[in-house]
Structure formats: C-alpha cells, structure tokens
Amino acid sequence: MDSFIYTSLPARVVFGVGTTASLPQEVHALGITKALVLATPQQVSEAQALADLLGDAAAGIFAEAEMHTPVDVTERALAAFAALGADGIVSIGGGSTVGLGKAIALRTDAPQVVLPTSYAGSEMTPLLGQTEGGKKTTLRSLKVLPETVIYDVNYTLTLPPRMTVTSGMNAIAHAVETLYAQEANPVLSLMAEDGIAKMTRALDRVLVAPSDIAARSDALYGAWLCAVCLGAGGVALHHKLCHVLGGSFNLPHAETHTIILPHALAYNAPEIPQAMAAMRRATGAEKPAKALFRIAQSAGVPTALKDLGMPQDGIARAVEITLENPYFNPRAFERDALLQLLENAWHGNEPDA
C-alpha cells in the first residue's frame, strides 16, 4: 500500500430522528450562555423555534444569511452578535447559514452548534468561502469548524424533491473529488464511495416517497459521509469552477454543483482510473458522469448553466478567473478544454464518461 496522511477533524455528531431536543444540553456542554441563532429569511420560523427551546440561553435571532457568505452580511451579523452580548452560535439551515456562522467564528472564535436542514455538508468542514467585490475566496481554518453538529432527519422530510436532488448532488460532489484530490487516501476513499452509493440510491427513493424516513435517513447519513470527505480531504477542478461561477455570476450554489459535476468528472476521467472504478461501483453505472447527469435530468432540475441565468459570453471570463489561481487537479487545466467543458455545461449537453 502507498504511504498516505489522514487527519481526523474534531467534531461531535448527534445523528437521528428528533435529535433537536438535545440542543439545550449541547449548547450548555460548550459553555455557551447566550447563543445567537442564525438562519436565512426563509427559515426564521425554525430559528424562532430553536430560540424558544433555548430559552434564556438564546441571545436573539439574526435571519439574514445569504448564499456565498457576502462580507457585508457578515459585518451586520457581527454587529448583532456584539450588541446582544452573544458568546456562541447556533446555525440552522443549509450552506448559506452555516457559512455565516463560520464567518462569525473566524472573527470571534465563538463556539458553534449547527443543525443542517439540507445535504450541503459545510458543517463538517474547516472551509469558508466568502464573497466580496464580485469574487469568492476560500480559506481553511480550524477556527471555523463547528464544535457540534446535530443531524435531525425530521428537518429533511419537508425538503422539496427537486431541492433534495440538487442538495444531494452538491454532497456527492464533495465525495467525488475526494477520490482523486491531492489529499486522497484509502480511509477517505471508503467513506467517499459509501457516501456516493448511499446518496445516489436514496435520491431515487426520495423522489418516489419524499417523506420516507428510512430513505431520508440514508440520504442524510450519505451527506454526512460526503461532508467528512470534503472536510478531511481536498478539492479540485469541480469546486474551483463552482466557486468561480457562484462568486462571479451569483449563481445558486447547489444547482451550480449539480450542473458542473458530471462535466468536471468527464474532464478528469482519462486521468483517474481508480476513482472511476469506485464511481462505477457506487453508482452502479458503467458511465458515472452520464449517470449523475441523468439523476438531475430525471428529477427535472436544471442541467444547463443557461437555465441559471449564466450569460454565454461569461464563459471566457470564468475560464480566465479559473486559470488565475488553479487548484490541484489530476488533469492539467487546459484553456481550450475548459472552454469546451463550460460550453457543454452552458448548453446542458450530456457527458459521455
């Protein structure tokens, strides 16, 4: 066996159905006496329910989280955090809310408890992407890693099927890149393959029966495995392109990942035979990129960047930004090939890999 390095990241995970009830105890265990509860405007009612559950341990609610973690929103949240005398963070939601909590923790070192309501996976990573001046930058710091994550399957029961698929594809992307990232190792590869298998199979079941507890549990478990992969592993071309497209063109996060993933996998396929073998086992398909594309297609979610409002004349700009600071990738970043990749993604062409 080849040599490798595996780093296990510190985090407490509470997984199950109805686990939100443990929030007061988890907050107390971290020494939090006044928690600022974070959410998006769409999830303010869920935030209020958590504040009610916490009682005197809730400092207040800040429900202005936005996708791609704009710095100006973070500054407003920091002002609220200070004004309310908060000493900890409780985040409920998907990547937008979790990102805001991380941004506050980066600047205050406040402990965090996260209750995910999607499969985004940000809660298990020491990564933070922030947007300012039309560009998204990413940093890695243990200061942003949440101390406790409460996975409550109940929150995912009402996740609409289409959103389930895009959020699930976002999760799958984390594991796919772990299979061939610079930090790839056999431990993470086991988690990645199982996470992809659990999620792809669960998505088919959820589309048929959205309230199926067993299917939702498998999906959330798969999402957790994929998130661990992202946190302890690394990223490559797929995430680089999604960061560029999201930050520069304000495209929705999960939908962008859903569209780009099959094309990025097809781009790298010739250089990653072992990862492609794992993908075939996980998806049960001879052509995994095509299989991922068809999952999105069958769910009726966007499969073309043009459907997200991406201008076709922005493709060249996206490639230039990508080439300014390329991530590690098993296949070199080739300008013409990247232009073709984004053209295919813009049109929604089915990959053949």
Side-chain angles (χ1 to χ4, degrees), residues 13-26:
V13 174
V14 181
F15 187 100
V17 178
T19 46
T20 298
S22 68
L23 178 62
Q25 292 76 27
E26 297 299 331

Side-chain angles (χ1 to χ4, degrees), residues 35-39 44 47-49 51 59-63 80 84:
L36 179 63
V37 182
L38 305 177
V44 66
Q48 185 60 59
I61 295 171
F62 183 88
L84 293 168

Side-chain angles (χ1 to χ4, degrees), residues 128-145:
L128 172 62
Q130 303 179 97
T131 303
E132 186 174 24
K135 284 193 176 182
K136 187 170 186 177
T137 58
T138 304
L139 61 84
R140 185 182 186 95
S141 170
L142 287 178
K143 288 183 69 175
V144 309
L145 183 70

Side-chain angles (χ1 to χ4, degrees), residues 131-265:
T131 303
E132 186 174 24
K135 284 193 176 182
K136 187 170 186 177
T137 58
T138 304
L139 61 84
R140 185 182 186 95
S141 170
L142 287 178
K143 288 183 69 175
V144 309
L145 183 70
E147 281 74 11
T148 302
V149 179
I150 300 175
Y151 287 107
D152 190 334
V153 178
N154 284 337
Y155 287 124
T156 67
L157 296 179
T158 56
L159 196 64
R162 286 165 59 96
M163 191 179 298
T164 295
V165 170
T166 56
S167 187
M169 292 287 280
N170 183 21
I172 290 169
H174 305 329
V176 169
E177 293 226 298
T178 292
L179 290 170
Y180 53 75
Q182 193 168 25
E183 298 84 354
N185 64 69
V187 178
L188 287 178
S189 292
L190 287 172
M191 293 185 182
E193 186 173 334
D194 194 28
I196 295 165
K198 283 285 192 302
M199 182 59 81
T200 53
R201 288 160 174 74
L203 289 179
D204 288 336
R205 293 155 61 199
V206 168
L207 286 173
V208 175
S211 298
D212 185 329
I213 289 283
R216 289 290 188 177
S217 294
D218 284 352
L220 192 57
Y221 176 70
W224 172 62
L225 288 177
C226 293
V228 171
C229 290
L230 177 63
V235 295
L237 172 64
H238 168 82
H239 280 82
K240 178 62 181 182
L241 288 175
C242 289
H243 290 161
V244 169
L245 294 170
S248 300
F249 300 95
N250 200 36
L251 302 187
H253 184 83
E255 288 84 351
T256 302
H257 278 266
T258 300
I259 293 168
I260 292 297
L261 178 59
H263 299 283
L265 180 60

